């Protein structure tokens, strides 16, 4: 009984330590993002991967792409002060996703693209993940008449492509910053 209790206490301390280290890591990531934000202005909205804090999308890249296959849609302030349309979709397995569409986002695209069960008629899709932690963040869409595999440059240079990101997998940088206090030892 005593050894089981000691093991439990050790496990709890280990979890607390890992949580504290994760928070310190996230504070450092957010501090870095604030200092070096790919040339964005300080007032511009920024979305982060909820899992690791990677900088995924900028407010200026929001681009609403309507779909008649959406179960519902609503206006919401997703990022910054700009309101955009959030669409609700359901996949063939019955899972529902609220998505926001962007002209571009910093995600990994896992080719080949597939035209089956698309939410945007005339477009093929491929899974999009976070380049840092590989968390599933959404889908990248390209015209159905394109080759199944395209280069990143071709995808990003086209006016016909877009990325649909899952709202629940993202975090506003301003919100994340408001939750965390930077320890004095991290301040310069």
């Amino acid at each position: 009984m005593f050894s089981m209790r000691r093991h439990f206490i050790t496990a709890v301390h280990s979890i607390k330590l890992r949580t504290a280290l994760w928070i310190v890591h996230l504070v450092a990531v957010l501090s870095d993002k604030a200092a070096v934000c790919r040339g964005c202005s300080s007032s511009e909205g920024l979305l982060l991967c909820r899992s690791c804090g990677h900088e995924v999308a900028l407010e200026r890249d929001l681009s609403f792409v309507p779909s008649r296959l959406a179960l519902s849609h609503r206006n919401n302030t997703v990022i910054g002060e700009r309101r955009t349309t959030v669409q609700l979709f359901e996949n063939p397995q019955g899972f529902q996703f609220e998505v926001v569409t962007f002209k571009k986002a910093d995600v990994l695209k896992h080719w080949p693209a597939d035209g089956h069960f698309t939410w945007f008629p005339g477009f093929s899709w491929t899974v999009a993940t976070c380049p840092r932690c590989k968390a599933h963040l959404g889908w990248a869409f390209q015209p159905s008449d394109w080759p199944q595999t395209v280069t990143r440059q071709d995808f990003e240079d086209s006016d016909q492509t877009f990325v649909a990101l899952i709202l629940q997998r993202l975090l506003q940088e301003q919100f994340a910053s408001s939750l965390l206090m930077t320890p004095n030892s991290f301040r310069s």
Side-chain angles (χ1 to χ4, degrees):
M1 174 89 168
F2 179 71
S3 68
M4 198 165 74
R5 184 174 179 188
R6 185 172 13 154
H7 177 70
F8 176 75
I9 291 172
T10 303
V12 168
H13 286 289
S14 174
I15 291 170
K16 285 181 180 180
L17 179 60
R18 282 185 295 202
T19 303
L21 290 173
W22 181 84
I23 289 173
V24 167
H25 169 74
L26 191 56
V27 167
V29 166
L30 291 175
S31 296
D32 289 345
K33 297 297 181 204
V36 184
C37 175
R38 283 192 299 186
C40 62
S41 68
S42 60
S43 63
E44 183 168 27
L46 180 65
L47 287 177
L48 309 174
C49 169
R50 186 177 290 272
S51 296
C52 72
H54 180 74
E55 184 179 301
V56 176
L58 298 170
E59 178 180 16
R60 69 173 167 236
D61 295 324
L62 273 169
S63 176
F64 175 60
V65 179
S67 173
R68 60 182 167 81
L69 299 178
L71 300 176
S72 67
H73 61 276
R74 63 184 169 85
N75 285 326
N76 195 2
T77 305
V78 174
I79 182 171
E81 296 178 4
R82 183 174 165 190
R83 294 185 67 77
T84 190
T85 302
V86 177
Q87 298 178 89
L88 177 67
F89 294 101
E90 184 173 281
N91 70 10
Q93 290 78 31
F95 293 103
Q96 293 187 348
F97 301 94
E98 284 190 316
V99 301
V100 179
T101 52
F102 289 83
K103 171 65 183 133
K104 64 180 180 176
D106 186 16
V107 293
L108 287 177
K109 297 159 194 82
H110 298 272
W111 310 110
D114 187 350
H116 295 92
F117 306 112
T118 184
W119 293 329
F120 296 90
F123 289 89
S124 296
W125 58 273
T126 187
V127 172
T129 61
C130 175
R132 181 184 293 157
C133 71
K134 308 303 185 260
H136 177 219
L137 297 180
W139 301 267
F141 289 86
Q142 67 187 44
S144 296
D145 58 355
W146 279 26
Q148 288 183 326
T149 303
V150 297
T151 66
R152 178 182 178 133
Q153 195 66 42
D154 288 342
F155 186 91
E156 291 179 0
D157 288 347
S158 175
D159 290 335
Q160 301 174 9
T161 60
F162 63 96
V163 179
L165 299 177
I166 303 167
L167 190 57
Q168 290 78 8
R169 309 266 169 94
L170 303 172
L171 189 63
Q172 287 186 28
E173 182 191 35
Q174 288 177 333
F175 178 72
S177 296
S178 73
L179 294 176
L180 302 173
M181 287 182 33
T182 306
N184 288 335
S185 61
F186 279 60
R187 295 182 186 153
S188 50

